[in-house]
Amino acid sequence: MNSGYSVPAVALVVVATVLVGAFGLRISRTTSDFYVASRTVGPRLNAAAISGEYLSAASFLGIAGLVLVQGPDMLWYPVGYTAGYLVLLLFVAAPLRRSGAYTLPDFAEARLASQAVRRLAGAFVVGVGWLYLLPQLQGAGLTLTVLTGAPPWLGGVIVAVVVVATVAAGGMRSITFVQAFQYWLKLTALLVPALFLILAWQGDGAPSNAFEEPAAFREQRVVRVDSTLDLRLERPLTVTVTGTVDGRRHDDRKLELPTGTHHIERGTRLTFAGGTTVPAADRGTSDGMSTSLAAGREERPLYATYGLILATFLGTMGLPHVVVRFYTSPHGVAARRTTVAVLGLIGCFYLLPPVYGALGRLYAPELTLTGDADAAVLLLPERMIGGLGGDLLGALVAGGAFAAFLSTASGLTMAVAGVLTQDVLPSRGVRHFRLGTLLAMCAPLAASVLVGSLPVADAVGLAFAVSASSFCPLLVLGIWWRRLTPPGAAAGMLVGGGSAFVAVAATMAGLPATGTPHSLLAWPALWSVPLGFLTMVLVSLATAARVPAGTAAILARFHLPEELRAEVKA
C-alpha cells in the first residue's frame, strides 16, 4: 500500500485530535469538568461523542474482516451493537443519569450502600476496560504495519501517547469534543471511499453477489504466509511455492497438492493462478493466543449466533466508556434523547462496513490466508481504484481508522482512570486523575506488545460477554428490583462476570481448541448472563434482611423525573 499519502493523513488526524482536545482543556476548570463535564453536555453533542467512542476498531475494521472471511452471518455484530442501545434506552439511560453517580462503582455504592460491592464493580470496570482497550491498540498496530511496514507495536504506542495526553490534559471536557469530531471523521472516511468503490465494482463486471460461490482469486496473486497454517483442500490445487510445505523445502517450484490438509510454514510464499478458489485455512494458535473463533462457529453456528446476540444486546449497558457518558447529561430526559440520537448515528455508520467486507471477498480474498482480514478496509481503495485516486481514498480510510482507535481508547481510558482515581489512588483530585490516566493505559499497552491477537471484532465481542454477565444484572436489578441486597449483587457479579472472564481467558489462550467446550467458552453469554441474574436473585432472597435502608427513596430518585422530584421536595 502506498504510504505517501496515508502517513500524512494519520499524522493529520493525530494533530487534529490534540488541537480539539486542547480546546476542551481551555474550558476545563473543575474536578467535575474532568469527570463528567459538569453534567452540561447536550443530547446532540453527547450523541456524537458516544457514537465516536463506541465505533471502535471492531466497527471500523473488524466487521468488514469477519464478513470477508465468514460471510453474511457476521452481520449480527452490527445489529447487536446497535440494538444494545435500544435496551439501554428502555431500561437504564434515564435512571442511571438520575442516580447522580460519576462511575459504575459510584452507582453500586449509591444503590446498595456497600463499599465491598463498590470495589468489586471497580475491579470489573478495570477488567472490561483493559480487555476492550487491547484490540484498539492492536488494530492501530495493524494499520500502521499495513501502511508503512512498521513493527506492530508502534501504532499502539502512538495511540497510547496521544490518548494519555488528551485525557490527562482536559478529562471529559476534552474527549467530548474529540469524540464528536472523530465520529463525523469516521463516517466520512468510510462513506466517501465506499461510493467510489461501489462505482468501480459496478463497472468491473464482478459478480453481483460475493457469497454465491467460494471466494476466488480474480488474477494471479502472491500470498506470503506470516504465521504457520494448515490448508484444507477439497480438491487438488496447483500452486507455485517458495518455502516449506508439508515439511519439505521448495524454491519457486510449481506443486500439485492433493485433496486433504497441508501444513504451510511461516514465511512461505504461495503463488495462485487467476480463477483459483481460495483454500480454507486453519491457523490453529499463534503466540499462545487463539487467532480466530471461526472453527467454533462452524461447529455450533446457532449457539454461536445466539451467544453473540445476547452478549451485544446486553453488554452495551455495562461498557464503562459508554455508561460514563450518560453521567454528563443534564438530566434523565436528555439522557433518553441522547440514546435515541445514538441509535440513528451508529445505525447509519453500520451500513458501510459490510460493503467493504463483501468487496474484500471479491478483490482481496488472500486476506483469509494471511490472517490480516481486518486490513480489507485499508487495502480496497488501492486494489479496486489504484492510481492517485486510490491513494487519496486509502489515506482517508487510514485517517478514519486511526480516529476509531483514538476515540474509543480515549473513552475507555477515561472510564478506567476515573475508577482508579476514585477507588485506588489516595486522592480524588485532578492531579491523581492524571496519574490514573497513565496507569489505565499501561497494562493494555504492555499486553498489546507481548501477546498475539484475536481479530478485533472477536476480541471486542468477548469484552461484551463479560460486561453483559456482570454489569447487566447489577444495573437492571439495581434499577428495577427493590429486593436486591449487597451480598446478592456481589455474588451475581462474581459468578456471572467471573465465569465469563474465565471463559474469555481460556478462549484467548486457545483452550480448548475445538468441540462443545470450545463453543461454550468462546460464547459464554448464553449461560453466564442467566447465571449472573439467577445468582443475584437467589442470594438476595436468601439475605432479604440485608436490603439497604432507604431503598424506596433511592429507587424513587432513579425513576421520578427531576421536575417532579423538585415539586415533592418543595
Side-chain angles (χ1 to χ4, degrees), residues 70 74 76-77 293-311 519-520 522-524 526:
Q70 300 179 54
M74 296 301 98
W76 278 114
Y77 272 96
L293 304 182
R297 289 193 184 97
E298 292 176 359
E299 293 174 351
R300 303 287 188 277
L302 192 60
Y303 177 86
T305 298
Y306 283 130
L308 171 64
I309 290 172
L310 192 63
S519 298
L520 290 172
W523 293 277
L526 271 182

Side-chain angles (χ1 to χ4, degrees), residues 389-409:
D391 289 341
L392 292 176
L393 292 174
L396 180 58
V397 171
F402 247 75
F405 311 137
L406 289 169
S407 59
T408 302

